[in-house]
Amino acid sequence: MLVNQLKAFFAVARLGSITGAARQLGLSQPTVTTQIRALEEQYGVELFHRGGGRLTLSEAGRRLMPQVDRLLQQELDIEFALRNSAELQGGTLRLGATAPYYTLALAQRFRARHPQVELSVSAGNSRQMVDALLAYQVDLATSSHLEEDPRLHRLELGADPLVLLVPRGHALARHAAVPLDALAGETLLVRERGSMTRQLGEQALDAAGVRPRAQMEIASREALREAVVRGLGVSIFAAHETGRHPDLIALPFDIEMPLVREYLYCLRERQGARLIEAMLACVEPTSHTSAAPSTGSA
Protein backbone atom coordinates (compact mmCIF):
# COMPACT_ATOMS: atom_id res chain seq x y z
CA MET A 1 0.00 0.00 0.00
CA LEU A 2 2.78 2.46 0.91
CA VAL A 3 4.60 1.87 -2.40
CA ASN A 4 1.41 2.54 -4.36
CA GLN A 5 0.84 5.75 -2.42
CA LEU A 6 4.43 6.85 -3.04
CA LYS A 7 4.02 6.09 -6.76
CA ALA A 8 0.96 8.33 -6.86
CA PHE A 9 2.82 11.10 -5.01
CA PHE A 10 5.85 10.84 -7.31
CA ALA A 11 3.80 10.84 -10.52
CA VAL A 12 1.79 13.92 -9.47
CA ALA A 13 4.94 15.74 -8.35
CA ARG A 14 6.78 14.95 -11.59
CA LEU A 15 3.90 15.59 -14.01
CA GLY A 16 2.33 18.48 -12.10
CA SER A 17 -1.25 17.23 -12.27
CA ILE A 18 -3.59 14.57 -10.96
CA THR A 19 -4.90 14.01 -14.49
CA GLY A 20 -1.48 13.30 -15.98
CA ALA A 21 -0.49 11.06 -13.09
CA ALA A 22 -3.70 9.05 -13.34
CA ARG A 23 -3.17 8.54 -17.06
CA GLN A 24 0.41 7.38 -16.58
CA LEU A 25 -0.43 5.05 -13.70
CA GLY A 26 -3.55 3.65 -15.37
CA LEU A 27 -5.73 4.73 -12.43
CA SER A 28 -8.74 6.96 -12.00
CA GLN A 29 -8.19 10.54 -10.80
CA PRO A 30 -10.15 9.94 -7.54
CA THR A 31 -7.91 6.92 -6.79
CA VAL A 32 -4.74 9.00 -7.19
CA THR A 33 -6.19 11.77 -5.01
CA THR A 34 -7.21 9.24 -2.34
CA GLN A 35 -3.76 7.63 -2.26
CA ILE A 36 -2.01 10.96 -1.76
CA ARG A 37 -4.44 12.11 0.94
CA ALA A 38 -4.09 8.76 2.73
CA LEU A 39 -0.30 9.12 2.69
CA GLU A 40 -0.50 12.64 4.11
CA GLU A 41 -3.03 11.69 6.79
CA GLN A 42 -1.21 8.54 7.86
CA TYR A 43 2.06 10.41 8.51
CA GLY A 44 0.62 13.81 9.40
CA VAL A 45 2.49 15.65 6.66
CA GLU A 46 1.46 18.04 3.89
CA LEU A 47 3.17 16.99 0.67
CA PHE A 48 1.40 19.49 -1.63
CA HIS A 49 0.10 23.01 -1.19
CA ARG A 50 -3.38 23.26 -2.68
CA GLY A 51 -4.62 26.60 -3.89
CA GLY A 52 -6.15 28.17 -6.96
CA GLY A 53 -6.85 24.74 -8.42
CA ARG A 54 -3.12 23.92 -8.51
CA LEU A 55 -0.84 21.55 -6.64
CA THR A 56 2.66 22.66 -5.69
CA LEU A 57 5.18 20.63 -3.71
CA SER A 58 5.63 21.55 -0.06
CA GLU A 59 9.08 21.59 1.51
CA ALA A 60 8.40 18.13 2.92
CA GLY A 61 7.38 16.95 -0.54
CA ARG A 62 10.57 18.31 -2.09
CA ARG A 63 12.70 16.51 0.50
CA LEU A 64 10.83 13.27 -0.12
CA MET A 65 11.20 13.30 -3.93
CA PRO A 66 14.79 12.01 -4.28
CA GLN A 67 14.18 9.25 -1.73
CA VAL A 68 11.06 8.04 -3.55
CA ASP A 69 12.90 8.28 -6.86
CA ARG A 70 15.61 5.92 -5.56
CA LEU A 71 13.00 3.54 -4.11
CA LEU A 72 11.00 3.30 -7.32
CA GLN A 73 14.17 2.89 -9.36
CA GLN A 74 15.16 -0.05 -7.18
CA GLU A 75 11.71 -1.59 -7.65
CA LEU A 76 12.00 -1.23 -11.43
CA ASP A 77 15.48 -2.72 -11.45
CA ILE A 78 14.30 -5.72 -9.42
CA GLU A 79 11.27 -6.23 -11.67
CA PHE A 80 13.41 -6.03 -14.80
CA ALA A 81 16.03 -8.39 -13.35
CA LEU A 82 13.32 -10.95 -12.60
CA ARG A 83 11.86 -10.71 -16.11
CA ASN A 84 15.33 -10.97 -17.62
CA SER A 85 16.64 -13.73 -15.33
CA ALA A 86 15.33 -16.64 -17.36
CA GLU A 87 17.12 -18.00 -20.40
CA LEU A 88 15.71 -17.00 -23.75
CA GLN A 89 13.27 -19.89 -23.44
CA GLY A 90 11.12 -17.55 -21.35
CA GLY A 91 10.79 -14.04 -19.97
CA THR A 92 8.91 -10.94 -21.06
CA LEU A 93 10.01 -8.06 -23.26
CA ARG A 94 8.05 -4.80 -23.68
CA LEU A 95 8.42 -2.85 -26.92
CA GLY A 96 7.07 0.67 -27.47
CA ALA A 97 6.19 1.30 -31.11
CA THR A 98 5.58 4.27 -33.37
CA ALA A 99 5.81 2.88 -36.92
CA PRO A 100 4.17 -0.54 -37.41
CA TYR A 101 6.10 -1.24 -40.64
CA TYR A 102 9.46 -1.44 -38.88
CA THR A 103 8.19 -2.58 -35.49
CA LEU A 104 6.22 -5.57 -36.76
CA ALA A 105 9.09 -6.72 -38.97
CA LEU A 106 11.39 -6.52 -35.96
CA ALA A 107 8.89 -8.36 -33.76
CA GLN A 108 8.49 -11.04 -36.43
CA ARG A 109 12.24 -11.71 -36.55
CA PHE A 110 12.45 -11.76 -32.76
CA ARG A 111 9.55 -14.19 -32.40
CA ALA A 112 11.05 -16.50 -35.04
CA ARG A 113 14.29 -16.69 -33.04
CA HIS A 114 12.82 -16.70 -29.54
CA PRO A 115 9.26 -18.07 -29.69
CA GLN A 116 9.08 -18.74 -25.93
CA VAL A 117 9.68 -15.11 -24.95
CA GLU A 118 6.49 -13.16 -24.31
CA LEU A 119 6.57 -9.95 -26.36
CA SER A 120 4.17 -7.08 -25.71
CA VAL A 121 3.89 -4.04 -27.99
CA SER A 122 2.39 -0.69 -26.99
CA ALA A 123 1.78 2.17 -29.41
CA GLY A 124 2.15 5.94 -29.37
CA ASN A 125 3.88 8.81 -31.11
CA SER A 126 7.64 9.35 -31.08
CA ARG A 127 7.69 11.62 -28.04
CA GLN A 128 5.42 9.35 -26.00
CA MET A 129 7.52 6.26 -26.69
CA VAL A 130 10.83 7.86 -25.69
CA ASP A 131 9.18 9.18 -22.51
CA ALA A 132 7.86 5.68 -21.77
CA LEU A 133 11.36 4.25 -22.20
CA LEU A 134 12.92 6.80 -19.85
CA ALA A 135 10.14 6.08 -17.34
CA TYR A 136 10.92 2.31 -17.55
CA GLN A 137 7.43 1.59 -18.86
CA VAL A 138 8.90 -0.23 -21.90
CA ASP A 139 12.24 -2.00 -22.41
CA LEU A 140 12.87 -0.77 -25.95
CA ALA A 141 11.16 1.89 -28.03
CA THR A 142 11.05 2.97 -31.64
CA SER A 143 10.94 6.67 -32.42
CA SER A 144 11.44 9.03 -35.35
CA HIS A 145 13.12 11.56 -33.07
CA LEU A 146 16.92 11.62 -33.10
CA GLU A 147 17.68 11.58 -29.38
CA GLU A 148 21.12 12.65 -28.17
CA ASP A 149 20.42 11.73 -24.53
CA PRO A 150 23.55 9.95 -23.23
CA ARG A 151 21.33 7.54 -21.29
CA LEU A 152 20.07 6.03 -24.56
CA HIS A 153 21.57 3.52 -26.99
CA ARG A 154 20.33 3.89 -30.58
CA LEU A 155 20.16 1.82 -33.77
CA GLU A 156 18.63 3.03 -37.04
CA LEU A 157 15.86 0.83 -38.44
CA GLY A 158 15.29 2.65 -41.73
CA ALA A 159 14.31 5.89 -43.44
CA ASP A 160 11.53 6.91 -45.81
CA PRO A 161 10.54 10.08 -47.69
CA LEU A 162 7.32 11.95 -47.09
CA VAL A 163 4.52 11.26 -49.57
CA LEU A 164 0.98 12.55 -50.02
CA LEU A 165 -1.97 10.28 -49.32
CA VAL A 166 -5.11 11.13 -51.33
CA PRO A 167 -8.43 9.37 -52.03
CA ARG A 168 -8.71 7.62 -55.36
CA GLY A 169 -10.49 9.97 -57.76
CA HIS A 170 -9.02 13.11 -56.15
CA ALA A 171 -7.82 15.76 -58.62
CA LEU A 172 -4.24 15.41 -57.38
CA ALA A 173 -4.29 11.66 -58.09
CA ARG A 174 -3.64 12.47 -61.77
CA HIS A 175 -0.17 13.80 -60.94
CA ALA A 176 2.88 11.59 -61.34
CA ALA A 177 4.43 13.77 -58.63
CA VAL A 178 2.63 16.40 -56.56
CA PRO A 179 3.85 20.03 -56.44
CA LEU A 180 4.07 21.10 -52.80
CA ASP A 181 2.19 24.32 -53.52
CA ALA A 182 -0.81 22.23 -54.63
CA LEU A 183 -1.56 21.74 -50.93
CA ALA A 184 -2.48 25.42 -50.64
CA GLY A 185 -5.95 24.55 -51.89
CA GLU A 186 -6.41 21.47 -49.71
CA THR A 187 -7.50 20.53 -46.21
CA LEU A 188 -4.46 18.91 -44.63
CA LEU A 189 -5.06 16.14 -42.10
CA VAL A 190 -2.25 15.87 -39.54
CA ARG A 191 -1.22 13.78 -36.53
CA GLU A 192 -1.08 15.22 -33.03
CA ARG A 193 1.93 17.28 -31.95
CA GLY A 194 4.81 15.02 -31.01
CA SER A 195 4.57 13.20 -34.36
CA MET A 196 7.80 13.49 -36.37
CA THR A 197 5.87 13.06 -39.63
CA ARG A 198 3.79 16.11 -38.77
CA GLN A 199 6.86 18.10 -37.70
CA LEU A 200 8.80 17.37 -40.90
CA GLY A 201 5.75 18.00 -43.10
CA GLU A 202 5.11 21.38 -41.48
CA GLN A 203 8.77 22.31 -41.83
CA ALA A 204 8.69 21.51 -45.57
CA LEU A 205 5.52 23.55 -46.08
CA ASP A 206 6.90 26.50 -44.10
CA ALA A 207 10.16 26.44 -46.10
CA ALA A 208 8.15 26.56 -49.34
CA GLY A 209 5.81 29.26 -48.03
CA VAL A 210 2.78 27.02 -48.51
CA ARG A 211 -0.23 27.30 -46.19
CA PRO A 212 -3.00 24.68 -46.61
CA ARG A 213 -6.56 26.00 -46.95
CA ALA A 214 -7.47 24.29 -43.68
CA GLN A 215 -5.99 21.81 -41.22
CA MET A 216 -7.53 19.07 -39.09
CA GLU A 217 -5.73 17.17 -36.34
CA ILE A 218 -6.45 13.45 -35.97
CA ALA A 219 -4.66 11.50 -33.27
CA SER A 220 -4.06 8.10 -34.89
CA ARG A 221 -2.55 6.87 -38.13
CA GLU A 222 -5.48 4.52 -38.79
CA ALA A 223 -8.06 7.28 -38.26
CA LEU A 224 -6.08 9.55 -40.59
CA ARG A 225 -6.24 6.98 -43.38
CA GLU A 226 -9.98 6.53 -42.86
CA ALA A 227 -10.49 10.30 -42.94
CA VAL A 228 -8.65 10.49 -46.28
CA VAL A 229 -10.83 7.66 -47.65
CA ARG A 230 -13.93 9.63 -46.63
CA GLY A 231 -12.71 12.72 -48.46
CA LEU A 232 -12.12 14.90 -45.40
CA GLY A 233 -8.76 15.98 -46.75
CA VAL A 234 -5.29 14.80 -47.78
CA SER A 235 -2.43 13.82 -45.50
CA ILE A 236 1.36 13.70 -45.51
CA PHE A 237 2.67 10.26 -44.54
CA ALA A 238 6.00 8.51 -44.32
CA ALA A 239 6.13 6.24 -47.37
CA HIS A 240 6.14 3.01 -45.35
CA GLU A 241 3.10 4.05 -43.29
CA THR A 242 0.59 4.49 -46.10
CA GLY A 243 -0.76 0.94 -45.85
CA ARG A 244 -2.82 -0.77 -48.53
CA HIS A 245 -6.35 0.34 -49.29
CA PRO A 246 -8.15 0.18 -52.65
CA ASP A 247 -9.48 3.72 -52.22
CA LEU A 248 -6.15 5.36 -51.34
CA ILE A 249 -3.23 6.48 -53.51
CA ALA A 250 0.20 7.48 -52.21
CA LEU A 251 2.00 10.03 -54.38
CA PRO A 252 5.58 11.30 -54.26
CA PHE A 253 6.22 15.04 -54.25
CA ASP A 254 8.01 16.71 -57.16
CA ILE A 255 10.80 17.97 -54.89
CA GLU A 256 13.10 16.18 -52.51
CA MET A 257 11.30 15.80 -49.20
CA PRO A 258 12.72 15.18 -45.71
CA LEU A 259 13.34 11.59 -44.68
CA VAL A 260 11.45 10.17 -41.73
CA ARG A 261 14.04 8.06 -39.96
CA GLU A 262 13.03 5.37 -37.52
CA TYR A 263 15.28 4.45 -34.61
CA LEU A 264 15.25 1.72 -31.99
CA TYR A 265 16.26 2.86 -28.50
CA CYS A 266 17.06 1.16 -25.23
CA LEU A 267 18.56 2.44 -22.01
CA ARG A 268 22.36 2.27 -22.28
CA GLU A 269 22.59 0.79 -18.78
CA ARG A 270 20.41 -2.15 -19.92
CA GLN A 271 21.92 -2.63 -23.36
CA GLY A 272 23.64 -5.86 -22.30
CA ALA A 273 20.57 -7.40 -20.65
CA ARG A 274 19.84 -10.79 -22.21
CA LEU A 275 16.38 -10.05 -23.64
CA ILE A 276 17.24 -6.54 -24.85
CA GLU A 277 20.46 -7.75 -26.42
CA ALA A 278 18.46 -10.44 -28.25
CA MET A 279 16.10 -7.81 -29.68
CA LEU A 280 18.98 -5.54 -30.75
CA ALA A 281 20.50 -8.52 -32.59
CA CYS A 282 17.34 -8.71 -34.72
CA VAL A 283 17.93 -5.27 -36.24
CA GLU A 284 18.98 -5.62 -39.88
CA PRO A 285 21.38 -3.19 -41.62
CA THR A 286 19.41 -0.29 -43.09
CA SER A 287 19.38 0.74 -46.73
CA HIS A 288 18.76 4.27 -45.35
CA THR A 289 16.18 5.31 -47.95
CA SER A 290 13.09 3.52 -49.20
CA ALA A 291 11.85 4.30 -52.68
CA ALA A 292 8.87 6.61 -52.79
CA PRO A 293 5.70 4.85 -53.98
CA SER A 294 4.65 5.50 -57.53
CA THR A 295 1.30 6.91 -58.60
CA GLY A 296 -1.44 4.43 -57.97
CA SER A 297 0.30 2.56 -55.16
CA ALA A 298 -1.76 2.06 -52.03
Side-chain angles (χ1 to χ4, degrees), residues 83-264:
R83 285 193 292 110
N84 191 59
S85 61
E87 296 297 326
L88 289 174
Q89 299 304 312
T92 304
L93 193 64
R94 303 167 302 175
L95 178 61
T98 53
Y101 176 85
Y102 292 115
T103 304
L104 295 180
L106 185 62
Q108 185 178 27
R109 290 193 293 272
F110 182 84
R111 291 286 293 164
R113 298 181 191 183
H114 311 292
Q116 301 305 314
V117 176
E118 183 179 333
L119 182 63
S120 65
V121 181
S122 55
N125 64 38
S126 291
R127 185 72 270 148
Q128 290 167 340
M129 291 299 93
V130 171
D131 288 345
L133 179 62
L134 292 171
Y136 298 89
Q137 295 171 343
V138 296
D139 302 314
L140 302 102
T142 66
S143 172
S144 297
H145 285 285
L146 178 61
E147 302 288 344
E148 301 293 354
D149 192 320
R151 294 172 294 175
L152 299 177
H153 172 70
R154 179 184 72 242
L155 293 176
E156 183 172 323
L157 297 176
D160 289 86
L162 295 174
V163 299
L164 187 68
L165 199 62
V166 302
R168 190 173 296 278
H170 192 282
L172 292 177
R174 297 194 295 267
H175 290 260
V178 180
L180 200 57
D181 60 10
L183 272 62
E186 301 294 331
T187 296
L188 184 64
L189 310 177
V190 298
R191 288 283 303 275
E192 75 285 359
R193 296 198 179 277
S195 161
M196 180 56 70
T197 302
R198 172 174 176 171
Q199 179 180 323
L200 292 176
E202 290 180 342
Q203 288 174 357
L205 290 170
D206 288 344
V210 176
R211 182 183 295 275
R213 178 172 58 86
Q215 184 166 296
M216 180 187 300
E217 182 177 299
I218 299 178
S220 82
R221 189 179 295 107
E222 294 72 22
L224 265 180
R225 283 194 288 259
E226 183 64 24
V228 175
V229 169
R230 293 173 179 269
L232 293 177
V234 300
S235 188
I236 296 175
F237 266 66
H240 69 268
E241 295 180 342
T242 57
R244 296 186 178 277
H245 193 289
D247 296 323
L248 292 177
I249 298 177
L251 302 167
F253 289 95
D254 66 354
I255 61 171
E256 185 175 353
M257 293 292 284
L259 294 176
V260 180
R261 299 186 182 276
E262 194 72 11
Y263 303 99
L264 178 67

Side-chain angles (χ1 to χ4, degrees), residues 13-32:
R14 192 167 61 85
L15 297 174
S17 76
I18 297 288
T19 302
R23 186 181 304 113
Q24 182 184 87
L25 296 171
L27 301 172
S28 67
Q29 293 182 43
T31 298
V32 172

